[in-house]
Amino acid sequence: MIAIIDYGVGNLRSVQKAFEKVGHNAIVTSNPKEIENAKAVVLPGVGAFAKCIGNLNEYGLVDVIYKTIKAGKPFLGICLGMQLLFTEGEEFGIHKGLDIIKGRVVRFPATSSNNGPLKVPHMGWNNLIIKKDAPILSDIRNNPFVYFVHSYYCVPEDSSVMAAVTDYGLQFTSTIWKENIYATQFHPEKSQEIGLKILKRFGELS
């Protein structure tokens, strides 16, 4: 069973349905014991960084996230769930993240690298430039298109965790892989065939 962490933000049913479509059983839960007993864990997320960190603490879910990762179980962060893994985020001030991946979450600039205006949020289909042969990206051709909705992006201190990047006015980290930790800035559950392949491969890791 895959546990999808429910901490009071976003429509998590779409993530659950996507896993079910590729043959993996998944539950949406805020019960720490169910999360701890799952074979793999997913941290999705939409909304503001500080509120989501606050909700994780309020629901008593921070410790079980650390336990899951320390136990070596496959762990997947999606969109804001990826950002929460980082040391800190700068949305509406500086706020501490889970500090599982060292680095910061910063806002897209108003202008792109060629000095043209940059529309924020970054919303819609964009491609992945695969840098590292992460297990969740196996059997996926380079430059696949996936679906993004975000105004902030992750800047890891250690570039070796970057499994894929994407160009949007600048090149940002769009997929993370570090040991049993995986994370996508895009929404695999909204990314059609490519996204379903990624979720299928994640479910096969445990």
Side-chain angles (χ1 to χ4, degrees):
M1 182 70 70
I2 297 169
I4 301 166
I5 298 177
D6 180 4
Y7 55 110
V9 295
N11 175 18
L12 309 184
R13 176 63 180 149
S14 60
V15 179
Q16 183 185 29
K17 285 174 67 176
F19 273 114
E20 290 172 348
K21 188 169 184 177
V22 295
H24 296 306
N25 291 327
I27 58 169
V28 175
T29 181
S30 57
N31 184 318
K33 186 56 67 177
E34 287 183 331
I35 296 167
E36 191 171 353
N37 290 337
K39 70 172 188 176
V41 175
V42 180
L43 179 64
V46 294
F49 188 99
K51 176 175 173 51
C52 290
I53 281 289
N55 282 14
L56 284 176
N57 281 295
E58 183 180 338
Y59 282 53
L61 296 171
V62 172
D63 284 347
V64 74
I65 289 174
Y66 290 136
K67 284 181 182 178
T68 296
I69 291 172
K70 187 175 181 180
K73 294 182 182 182
F75 188 96
L76 175 65
I78 296 176
C79 196
L80 184 62
M82 169 172 161
Q83 296 178 3
L84 297 175
L85 296 175
F86 279 71
T87 307
E88 63 181 25
E90 67 172 30
E91 185 176 10
F92 304 122
I94 304 299
H95 303 280
K96 290 183 179 179
L98 295 170
D99 198 27
I100 292 165
I101 303 291
K102 298 294 183 183
R104 303 180 69 242
V105 182
V106 302
R107 185 175 171 83
F108 279 110
T111 57
S112 66
S113 56
N114 62 6
N115 294 321
L118 190 64
K119 185 176 180 181
V120 180
H122 172 216
M123 182 181 297
W125 295 87
N126 206 336
N127 66 308
L128 300 179
I129 303 166
I130 297 173
K131 297 288 189 181
K132 190 176 178 182
D133 189 21
I136 63 169
L137 299 177
S138 65
D139 302 322
I140 293 177
R141 60 180 174 78
N142 202 9
N143 298 317
F145 278 80
V146 291
Y147 190 81
F148 292 88
V149 183
H150 63 123
S151 298
Y152 293 78
Y153 64 96
C154 300
V155 183
E157 290 182 7
D158 180 3
S159 63
S160 71
V161 304
M162 298 163 60
V165 298
T166 296
D167 283 319
Y168 187 69
L170 49 77
Q171 198 170 83
F172 69 89
T173 304
S174 48
T175 309
I176 289 286
W177 174 34
K178 180 182 179 184
E179 299 171 347
N180 58 311
I181 303 167
Y182 304 85
T184 64
Q185 182 60 71
F186 57 92
H187 287 271
E189 77 280 9
K190 297 179 180 179
S191 298
Q192 299 181 4
E193 181 183 354
I194 295 297
L196 291 176
K197 278 186 177 182
I198 288 170
L199 296 180
K200 186 174 190 298
R201 292 292 292 126
F202 175 76
E204 292 169 347
L205 293 175
S206 55

